[in-house]
Amino acid sequence: MNDEFYMRLALQMAESASGQTSINPVVGCVLVKDGRIVGLGAHLKRGEGHAEANALRMAGEEAEGATAYVTLEPCSHYRKLTPPCSDRLIDAKVARVVIAALDPNPQVSGSGAAKLREAGIEVTVGLLEQQSRLMNEAFNKYIVTRQPYVTLKSASTLDGKVAARTGDSRWISGPSSREAVHTMRHRHDGIMVGIGTLLADNPELTTRLSVPALHPIRIIVDSNLRIPLDARVVTDKISPTIVLTTAGASLGKRDALLKAGIEVIECGEGPHVDLAVAMRLLGEREIASILLEGGGRLNGAMLESGLVDKITLFIAPKLIGGGAAAPSAFEFAGFDKMADAIVLEDVSYEQHGDDIAIVGYPSNRFKP
């Protein structure tokens, strides 16, 4: 029962809301007084109460003299009609604030902690900082660049194939891996595939778990607008669909998609979608995180362009063979020397049934 114990509880509360806060960070707050937890709070939805406000509301008058454990620096600026969380803590007369990580926004970083100290409140910063930063890695990029954080997910066999030479890919990975992927969908604002994947599988690109979950915005990369008007992502209306295309794509097809309620975004002159432009335009639409479930060419193009921030590769204990006829997870021109290869950094491993997931960060990614 020490500072770390209570901060881990705050982190657990924040983690539970992952995927629910849109372009806002996930934050947890625990208020402790005389050895008792008197208030708990998490930020649950963009536009609604912050973690500190929710915890203070629960604590009421017992907040006076308490210690607040907060996973992210309390904000110091007004948001519409709501006062800053740092002011709320000061007004509640808390005695001490323990902060895991400072706000990554360079315009305000450190100002919340400074305001608390100026009010005579003891402030400690940096407890379990790395855990907090990992939890908000998408927010940390978006708040600095206004571009989405891209997680590339793929599933392959031991020999690196994402489908048999016939195109059959059901199922490479096991049930546990597939459930983990649906949790990833729940936690991302958007899910992106190429037109090849859509034409081959006609996927729904929704979240299917045993409990209600959030559906990501469907994003289709389609340079020539080959998407059928009867595709599920066009007709089902379960979640919005955006089609990324080029200036040279069919105007007639574009009009038909617009009438069907599909947003069409022009990204460059062609012949291919300018992916860097696409990320900027999606960021302007406040899509802060994208789960990329593309085929080899889209994966390769995104990776080669330095637009992938994280990779989760599920590897199943299967061998399918097929040579060049069986597609791979990444297809791009590549490098002449092994020393020039893109390296995964900070690698970790997860077990999902009989499958192994390799998680890491490409060395050519954006680094704030």
Side-chain angles (χ1 to χ4, degrees):
M1 305 289 287
N2 53 22
D3 284 351
E4 184 172 325
F5 174 87
Y6 292 118
M7 184 62 79
R8 288 194 183 280
L9 177 57
L11 288 165
Q12 181 181 343
M13 294 177 61
E15 175 72 16
S16 298
S18 183
Q20 297 183 191
T21 58
S22 185
I23 61 171
N24 286 359
V26 291
V27 183
C29 178
V30 175
L31 289 171
V32 179
K33 184 177 182 180
D34 298 330
R36 294 186 303 114
I37 295 173
V38 296
L40 299 167
H43 180 43
L44 300 177
K45 185 178 180 181
R46 182 186 179 190
E48 296 186 358
H50 287 190
E52 299 93 327
N54 291 333
L56 288 169
R57 188 178 301 112
M58 177 184 288
E61 293 181 357
E62 290 199 84
E64 184 174 351
T67 296
Y69 298 87
V70 191
T71 60
L72 190 66
E73 180 182 13
C75 60
S76 58
H77 54 287
Y78 278 83
R79 298 174 184 269
K80 295 184 179 179
L81 300 177
T82 59
C85 291
S86 53
D87 286 359
R88 288 176 181 263
L89 292 166
I90 293 168
D91 292 342
K93 299 180 180 179
V94 301
R96 180 171 176 245
V97 179
V98 181
I99 301 168
L102 294 178
D103 193 319
N105 185 345
Q107 296 180 347
V108 299
S109 181
S111 60
K115 181 181 284 191
L116 292 169
R117 289 190 176 106
E118 289 169 3
I121 295 173
E122 180 186 346
V123 178
T124 302
V125 178
L127 179 64
L128 301 181
E129 178 180 7
Q130 183 64 12
Q131 289 88 326
S132 176
R133 291 196 178 281
L134 283 174
M135 190 180 303
N136 280 307
E137 55 191 4
F139 169 77
N140 293 344
K141 177 186 178 182
Y142 183 79
I143 198 64
V144 173
T145 68
R146 294 294 170 179
Q147 294 194 21
Y149 186 93
V150 178
T151 301
L152 188 157
K153 165 266 160 184
S154 190
S156 73
T157 60
L158 281 174
D159 48 347
K161 304 299 182 181
V162 297
R165 61 187 179 187
T166 60
D168 178 66
S169 61
R170 296 199 176 190
W171 293 103
I172 294 174
S173 56
S176 179
S177 294
R178 297 198 296 273
E179 183 174 6
V181 170
H182 283 287
T183 300
M184 293 172 71
R185 289 183 179 185
H186 166 78
R187 292 181 169 180
H188 285 77
D189 293 338
I191 179 172
M192 187 164 78
V193 301
I195 185 60
T197 297
L198 187 134
L199 292 175
D201 301 332
N202 191 20
E204 294 178 355
L205 302 179
T206 53
T207 304
R208 296 182 294 279
L209 293 169
S210 58
V211 296
L214 300 175
H215 300 301
I217 297 171
R218 285 86 63 93
I219 304 165
I220 314 301
V221 181
D222 183 6
S223 300
N224 298 308
L225 289 183
R226 293 189 289 152
I227 181 173
L229 294 176
D230 61 353
R232 290 175 177 172
V233 297
V234 175
T235 62
D236 65 15
K237 310 303 179 186
I238 295 175
S239 183
T241 297
I242 295 173
V243 177
L244 306 177
T245 192
T246 62
S250 166
L251 292 178
K253 188 63 163 293
R254 186 175 308 187
D255 290 341
L257 289 168
L258 292 173
K259 289 179 181 178
I262 306 303
E263 184 176 6
V264 179
I265 303 177
E266 185 178 298
C267 306
E269 299 296 324
H272 303 294
V273 167
D274 187 322
L275 295 170
V277 170
M279 293 302 104
R280 176 175 58 81
L281 295 176
L282 291 172
E284 290 177 1
R285 286 158 175 79
E286 297 190 337
I287 296 175
S289 59
I290 293 174
L291 183 63
L292 173 60
E293 294 194 31
R297 283 185 292 179
L298 179 57
N299 288 349
M302 287 286 290
L303 185 65
E304 196 171 27
S305 300
L307 298 174
V308 175
D309 298 288
K310 185 176 183 178
I311 292 177
T312 299
L313 179 59
F314 294 87
I315 300 179
K318 300 176 182 178
L319 297 163
I320 192 67
S328 301
F330 303 95
E331 296 178 20
F332 60 102
F335 308 98
D336 293 332
K337 297 180 180 179
M338 190 60 68
D340 297 329
I342 297 170
V343 177
L344 286 192
E345 300 172 339
D346 299 322
V347 175
S348 60
Y349 305 89
E350 302 171 358
Q351 184 89 36
H352 297 278
D354 292 333
D355 304 331
I356 295 291
I358 299 175
V359 182
Y361 301 83
S363 54
N364 68 336
R365 70 192 185 280
F366 167 81
K367 299 177 183 178

